[in-house]
């Protein structure tokens, strides 16, 4: 068997390994796109070996040692090349390469350069992520009767125009119900599509889709606009946009991709918060949970106008409007991670928030209450977890990232600060 | 990657295929360390790993006509190094108890543990390259800080007043924030913050 040629299967495996290195490297730099974060999380969960590799590459001590080893050799590079390689390469010649290609050389002695590289490597590489100190496994105490809380899934309820309530769980694909002249069709796992026929004017019926804690659902509105509803949220909307405007009402969190229709502005009214978001055709995320004191609208693409009471502002992509419900303060900030605010719709929750905000979302998705013991800090950190993660894995991640220690007791998550080293 | 453009890589490969020893030396430089690191995960011994990898590079040279781009060179090296390590392990009876000395014939496919080593070798290469790419004055400050020098010491060494060193740090942070990649900025930041740790 010819063991020197590479074959397709090996190439594919190697490419996977190279890709993994690239993802880990850029993950530590916060440089992954939301899609890449999902890919990265999937790679990690593919095998215990992958997870191990990631853990090792995130352990400051381990990486420091590996870097030292990387630079230690019995013979220098030049020595090996001139004695073991050059004499054996036949049929070539010595010639300067036409374009200048420069490569760096360490000018330091071996011992010094080792220390330098190890220290540099560690500090640089671990600049903003805490190292993992293997301690106790995260505690998930379960009673005999209940199973460990499962992550959320595509659960929702539909409230029809006449008030009738239908569950959307486990419903087969196809026509669900007719509302006026509109067909309500389940097109996919977790997606409901409203197919409106040519409108005949007049008031259209209103439907409401409600997601419980631990639920998520997607909708296609009668104009083709797409809406992803996060957990514990509600969207009320007409089954056909017959008026001069397209108006929907939101409580909770949703991501919108609004279809263009210059003739009919699209408006999102936030229930009970005296706030309205007007769009022409665009992608944006609205986070308006009751428990969060700040209502956030993040614009990814297009243009929206956010109005709260008498305050109004026009957003450009990459900006976030923040309305503090408690005191009415209205702010516009740059959100360079705009795309991350909507990553949840593709399966990964991504945050650059303080611990309370992160824990609230975890509570919503796993349908648990959150209780704090001690001061866990308010500094925003970057954190993400996959939609399908087991709760114990989320707890592990929280410790890993250096946010908090979590323990499950019954239906409560007990959050305590991590021990300082 | 360093400051090389894809055009540089293409030129390098062309020269390499054409038989230019300088090009071979450069390719050797690009992959030598990570291949040794990878080989050491199989054979443990530094000398043996270096010998194996050197022989693999000779084989690379013999087959240089087959490569059109650096990625394929990299892939070849990993496969060839792994196979050469396996050959060595099979021959050396002293290492019969070595966990990595698979008794059965060499499989075409990489095992999970092997791929993990590939990923690690790649990571080491990336980290090392990124550090090499930092500007030299910055590295000098950090080198001194890494050796345990505080601001006053660095100021003496680099012939500046401590005020200027502190100033330099602050300005450097702003410059880095603006011009360089996040990683360089974070490094400088963490140096400033963890000076005490370094001295330990």
């Amino acid at each position: 068997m010819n063991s020197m040629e590479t074959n397709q299967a090996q190439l594919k495996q190697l490419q996977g390994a190279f890709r993994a290195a690239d993802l880990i490297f850029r993950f530590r730099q916060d440089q992954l796109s939301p899609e890449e974060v999902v890919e990265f999380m999937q790679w990690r969960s593919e095998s215990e070996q992958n997870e191990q590799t990631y853990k090792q590459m995130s352990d400051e001590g381990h990486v420091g040692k590996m870097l030292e080893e990387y630079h230690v050799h019995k013979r220098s590079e030049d020595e090996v090349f001139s004695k073991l390689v050059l004499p054996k390469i036949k049929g070539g010649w010595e010639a300067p390469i036409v374009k200048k290609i420069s490569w760096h050389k360490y000018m330091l002695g071996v011992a010094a350069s080792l220390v330098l590289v190890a220290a540099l490597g560690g500090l640089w590489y671990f600049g903003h992520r805490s190292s993992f100190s293997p301690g106790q496994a995260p505690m998930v105490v379960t009673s005999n009767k209940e199973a460990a809380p499962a992550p959320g899934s595509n659960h929702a309820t539909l409230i029809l125009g006449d008030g009738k309530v239908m569950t959307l769980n486990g419903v087969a694909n196809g026509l669900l119900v007719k509302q006026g002249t509109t067909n309500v069709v389940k097109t996919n796992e977790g997606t409901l599509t409203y197919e409106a026929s040519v409108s005949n004017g007049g008031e259209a019926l209103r439907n409401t889709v409600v997601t419980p804690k631990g639920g998520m659902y997607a909708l296609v509105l009668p104009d083709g606009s797409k809406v992803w509803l996060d957990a514990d949220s509600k969207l009320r909307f007409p089954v056909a946009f017959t008026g001069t405007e397209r108006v929907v009402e939101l409580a909770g969190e949703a991501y919108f991709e609004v279809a263009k229709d210059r003739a009919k502005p699209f408006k999102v009214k936030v229930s009970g918060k005296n706030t309205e978001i007007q769009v022409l055709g665009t992608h944006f995320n609205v986070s308006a949970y009751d428990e969060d004191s700040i209502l956030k609208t993040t614009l990814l693409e297009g243009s929206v106008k956010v109005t709260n009471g008498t305050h109004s502002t026009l957003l450009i992509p990459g900006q976030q409007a923040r309305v503090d419900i408690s005191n009415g303060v209205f702010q516009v900030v740059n959100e360079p991670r705009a795309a991350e605010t909507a990553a949840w719709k593709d399966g990964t929750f991504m945050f650059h928030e303080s611990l309370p905000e992160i824990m609230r979302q975890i509570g919503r998705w796993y349908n648990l209450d959150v209780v704090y013991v001690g001061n866990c800090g308010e500094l925003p950190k970057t954190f993400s977890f996959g939609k399908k993660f087991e709760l114990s894995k989320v707890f592990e991640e929280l410790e890993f990232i250096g946010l908090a220690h979590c323990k499950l007791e019954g239906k409560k998550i007990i959050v305590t600060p991590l021990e300082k080293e | 990657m360093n400051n090389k453009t894809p055009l540089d890589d293409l030129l390098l490969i062309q020269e390499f295929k054409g038989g230019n020893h300088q090009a071979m030396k450069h390719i050797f430089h690009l992959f030598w360390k990570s291949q040794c690191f990878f080989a050491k995960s199989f054979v443990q011994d530094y000398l043996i790993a270096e010998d194996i990898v050197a022989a693999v590079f000779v084989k690379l040279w013999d087959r240089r006509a087959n490569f059109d781009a650096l990625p394929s060179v990299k892939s070849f090296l990993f496969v060839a190094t792994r196979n050469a390590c396996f050959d060595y392990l099979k021959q050396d009876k002293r290492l019969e108890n070595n966990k990595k000395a698979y008794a059965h014939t060499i499989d075409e496919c990489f095992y999970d543990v092997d791929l993990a080593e590939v990923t690690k070798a790649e990571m080491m290469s990336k980290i090392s390259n990124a550090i090499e790419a930092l500007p030299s004055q910055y590295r000098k400050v950090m080198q001194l800080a890494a050796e345990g020098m505080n601001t006053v010491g660095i100021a003496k060494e680099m012939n500046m007043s401590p005020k200027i060193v502190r100033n330099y740090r602050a300005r450097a942070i702003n410059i880095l924030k603006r011009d360089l990649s996040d990683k360089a900025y974070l490094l400088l930041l963490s140096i400033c913050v963890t000076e005490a740790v370094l001295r330990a």
Side-chain angles (χ1 to χ4, degrees):
Chain A
M1 175 182 68
N2 185 352
S3 58
M4 277 304 153
E5 314 291 37
T6 57
N7 61 36
Q8 285 301 89
Q10 285 174 330
L11 275 181
K12 203 148 179 243
Q13 284 185 304
L14 283 176
Q15 267 149 32
F18 298 154
R19 177 67 174 165
D22 184 50
L23 288 174
I24 298 174
F25 185 75
R26 289 187 302 119
F27 177 69
R28 307 273 322 172
Q29 311 305 312
D30 260 342
Q31 277 175 24
L32 292 186
S33 69
E35 296 82 23
E36 285 176 326
V37 173
V38 173
E39 186 189 340
F40 175 60
M41 295 296 183
Q42 281 172 344
W43 172 83
R44 276 175 64 181
S45 58
E46 251 165 43
S47 72
E48 188 53 47
Q49 177 69 71
N50 289 355
E51 184 64 26
Q52 268 309 304
T53 303
Y54 172 63
K55 289 254 153 74
Q56 283 173 343
M57 298 313 305
S58 305
D59 181 325
E60 184 163 339
H62 202 118
V63 171
K65 283 204 200 97
M66 286 200 278
L67 265 180
E68 278 189 50
E69 203 189 291
Y70 183 77
H71 290 283
V72 166
H73 300 278
K74 275 287 195 272
R75 294 158 288 190
S76 77
E77 180 182 314
D78 289 335
E79 198 189 325
V80 173
F81 186 77
S82 53
K83 293 202 184 136
L84 296 180
V85 179
L86 198 54
K88 303 207 177 132
I89 52 182
K90 303 185 181 103
W93 60 84
E94 191 75 26
I97 303 178
V98 175
K99 245 178 137 192
K100 241 209 263 181
I101 296 175
S102 64
W103 23 290
H104 303 270
K105 274 186 170 162
Y106 285 115
M107 304 301 258
L108 313 160
V110 172
S113 71
L114 279 183
V115 172
L116 174 65
V117 168
L120 279 182
L123 286 165
W124 160 74
Y125 186 54
F126 292 95
H128 65 306
R129 279 182 187 270
S130 315
S131 42
F132 177 67
S133 26
Q136 292 180 316
M139 302 257 294
V140 177
V141 178
T142 56
S143 70
N144 293 330
K145 295 175 195 160
E146 300 158 22
S153 50
N154 295 325
H155 275 25
T157 354
L158 172 64
I159 305 173
L160 299 172
D162 58 0
K164 179 164 167 227
V165 175
M166 293 181 73
T167 178
L168 293 171
N169 313 342
V171 159
N173 288 354
L175 179 67
L176 198 63
V177 70
K178 272 180 98 76
Q179 291 284 278
T181 54
T182 299
N183 288 341
V184 182
V185 183
K186 176 148 185 277
T187 41
N188 241 329
E189 191 46 55
T191 314
L192 207 61
T193 304
Y194 278 71
E195 292 167 6
S197 56
V198 172
S199 70
N200 47 12
E203 277 290 326
L205 290 168
R206 294 199 156 249
N207 281 186
T208 307
V209 172
V210 183
T211 50
K213 286 200 177 155
M216 221 184 243
Y217 222 78
L219 290 170
V220 181
L221 297 179
D223 64 342
S225 297
K226 299 183 193 165
V227 185
W228 285 258
L229 273 183
D230 199 348
D232 198 20
S233 303
K234 249 192 282 207
L235 188 79
R236 188 161 177 264
F237 53 94
V239 301
F241 290 117
T242 54
T244 52
E245 291 180 332
R246 301 172 279 166
V247 183
V248 306
E249 280 168 61
L250 171 73
E253 176 162 20
Y255 172 75
F256 295 82
E257 283 183 5
V258 172
K260 272 197 171 72
D261 185 346
R262 288 194 183 281
K264 288 193 194 179
F266 190 100
K267 288 188 179 163
V268 180
K269 289 202 160 110
V270 182
S271 313
K273 308 251 191 320
N274 196 18
T275 301
E276 182 184 283
I277 297 135
Q278 178 178 335
V279 305
L280 285 175
T282 195
H283 302 185
F284 60 100
N285 194 76
V286 180
S287 181
Y289 287 105
D290 281 332
E291 321 81 82
D292 296 340
S293 60
I294 300 191
L295 195 165
K296 291 181 276 205
T297 306
T298 313
L299 181 63
L300 280 70
E301 236 181 75
S303 156
V304 300
K305 185 162 96 173
V306 182
T307 310
N308 169 259
T310 51
H311 279 123
S312 190
T313 190
L314 198 63
L315 291 182
I316 58 172
Q319 285 188 329
Q320 185 183 80
R322 300 167 71 97
V323 178
D324 192 329
I325 300 301
S326 57
N327 57 21
V329 169
F330 195 112
Q331 238 192 341
V332 174
V333 300
N334 281 331
E335 181 50 84
R337 297 180 171 87
E340 282 181 15
T341 57
W344 55 267
K345 77 178 205 311
D346 294 319
T348 306
F349 293 104
M350 295 181 73
F351 308 87
H352 186 72
E353 306 287 352
S354 62
L355 183 67
E357 284 234 31
I358 296 173
M359 291 312 301
R360 271 196 287 270
Q361 184 65 23
I362 293 175
R364 256 176 235 134
W365 188 238
Y366 291 87
N367 197 5
L368 299 166
D369 292 321
V370 179
V371 174
Y372 296 88
V373 178
N375 180 12
C376 298
E378 287 280 327
L379 284 177
K381 292 232 184 176
T382 303
F383 178 71
S384 52
F385 67 95
K387 228 165 89 164
K388 298 208 166 100
F389 276 15
E390 290 297 326
L391 189 63
S392 56
K393 190 157 172 123
V394 180
F395 285 179
E396 226 176 83
E397 275 297 303
L398 285 166
E399 282 217 41
F400 189 84
I401 292 292
L403 271 168
H405 174 74
C406 293
K407 203 165 81 165
L408 181 73
E409 271 176 21
K411 283 237 147 214
K412 291 207 256 281
I413 303 175
I414 314 287
V415 184
T416 47
L418 286 173
E419 260 116 43
K420 301 286 175 201
E421 282 152 50
Chain B
M1 273 285 167
N2 295 353
N3 305 322
K4 297 198 335 195
T5 64
L7 222 54
D8 286 337
D9 282 0
L10 215 55
L11 179 64
L12 179 65
I13 286 285
Q14 278 171 10
E15 293 288 317
F16 170 60
K17 284 170 82 158
N20 188 338
H21 283 179
Q22 275 294 341
M24 176 59 177
K25 190 165 192 200
H26 189 66
I27 288 179
F28 184 77
H29 171 73
L30 285 177
F31 297 114
W32 158 248
K33 286 191 171 165
S34 67
Q35 288 305 306
C36 281
F37 184 83
F38 181 57
K40 268 187 262 173
S41 71
F42 294 102
V43 302
Q44 270 91 49
D45 186 281
Y46 287 75
L47 275 177
I48 293 170
E50 288 168 17
D51 286 342
I52 287 176
V53 173
V56 164
F57 271 96
V58 173
K59 289 200 160 68
L60 172 73
W61 171 266
D62 289 340
R63 284 161 181 72
R64 63 191 183 276
N66 299 338
F67 301 101
D68 290 319
L70 278 182
S72 49
V73 169
K74 188 163 74 172
S75 298
F76 171 83
L77 289 173
F78 274 106
V79 174
T81 299
R82 171 190 168 264
N83 291 343
C85 289
F86 278 10
D87 286 340
Y88 170 79
L89 290 170
K90 276 172 70 175
Q91 281 167 22
D92 192 333
K93 298 194 180 71
R94 283 174 298 155
L95 296 167
E96 249 161 21
N97 292 328
N98 186 321
K99 281 185 199 151
K100 293 234 169 93
Y102 304 107
H104 43 272
T105 52
I106 297 171
D107 265 347
E108 288 281 297
C109 285
F110 276 66
Y111 292 97
D112 274 359
V113 300
D114 302 341
L115 288 173
E117 294 299 332
V118 171
T119 298
K120 283 185 218 166
E122 267 292 276
M123 286 282 323
M124 291 300 110
S125 176
K126 282 177 194 296
I127 295 173
S128 186
N129 289 342
I131 292 168
E132 271 191 72
L134 297 173
S136 64
Q137 247 196 323
Y138 175 38
R139 288 172 67 204
K140 174 99 182 165
V141 170
M142 292 205 321
Q143 174 200 337
L144 296 175
E147 287 171 13
M149 245 184 240
N150 58 10
T151 307
V152 172
I154 295 176
K156 275 212 185 100
E157 181 72 22
M158 292 182 73
N159 229 337
M160 311 174 184
S161 77
K163 203 186 205 176
I164 294 184
V165 170
R166 271 188 279 268
N167 219 334
Y168 171 79
R169 270 206 185 131
R171 275 187 289 126
I173 289 172
N174 284 330
I175 293 169
L176 290 169
K177 249 170 147 167
R178 201 186 65 220
D179 294 341
L180 292 188
S181 59
D182 290 346
K183 54 187 179 252
Y185 158 64
L186 287 167
L187 176 48
L188 184 60
L189 198 62
S190 56
I191 284 279
C192 296
V193 163
T194 60
E195 197 181 303
V197 174
L198 286 173
R199 248 183 273 136

